[in-house]
Amino acid sequence: MTASPLSQDDLARLAEVIESRKPARGGDPEKSYVARLLHKGPDAFLKKIGEEATEVVMAAKDCDRDGDAQKLVNEVADLWFHCMIALAHYGKEPADVVAELVRREGLSGLEEKALRKAVERESGA
């Protein structure tokens, strides 16, 4: 059975919850996991992103060995969630990511990557 597709509304609603958990908005680190990560600062949620990314890779490798694909879905959900915390911390929203993906639609991945590198070289980044 396949779950219904995630919509921008679903992502926006989750982003609103994350936003409401910011300590500056009254999120209590003693009662909220999100508030605790945000209170600890970027090192805390960036570490979680790294951990979750590794778990995604491990779950995908397990799928290649007849592992449970649902575990991959679960790990990607954890990764996306922690990435959404980072987006909130840096004043961005899931819609910003979706807009970037839409912008890239129809572009060759190789051409898009080369263009990004050329722009970075020109800007001295």
Side-chain angles (χ1 to χ4, degrees), residues 33-103:
Y33 174 72
V34 172
R36 184 176 313 139
L37 282 178
L38 290 168
H39 176 74
K40 288 180 177 181
D43 285 348
F45 58 79
L46 296 174
K47 178 180 177 187
K48 284 300 297 179
I49 289 171
E51 291 171 4
E52 298 302 343
T54 299
E55 290 173 10
V56 167
V57 170
M58 291 170 28
K61 288 188 135 322
D62 287 346
C63 285
D64 287 336
R65 292 186 287 279
D66 297 322
D68 182 7
Q70 183 60 45
K71 183 166 185 192
L72 175 61
V73 170
N74 296 346
E75 296 302 343
V76 170
D78 290 345
L79 177 60
W80 284 14
F81 178 75
H82 288 90
C83 288
M84 288 180 69
I85 292 171
L87 287 171
H89 176 79
Y90 294 110
K92 295 296 186 178
E93 300 174 355
D96 297 316
V97 177
V98 172
E100 177 60 16
L101 290 170
V102 168
R103 183 193 70 77

Side-chain angles (χ1 to χ4, degrees), residues 7-40:
S7 74
Q8 282 200 52
D9 290 341
D10 295 324
L11 289 172
R13 190 170 52 256
L14 180 55
E16 287 175 15
V17 170
I18 290 169
E19 190 70 28
S20 75
R21 297 300 200 298
K22 286 182 172 181
R25 291 184 149 208
D28 184 350
E30 297 297 318
K31 296 180 181 176
S32 165
Y33 174 72
V34 172
R36 184 176 313 139
L37 282 178
L38 290 168
H39 176 74
K40 288 180 177 181

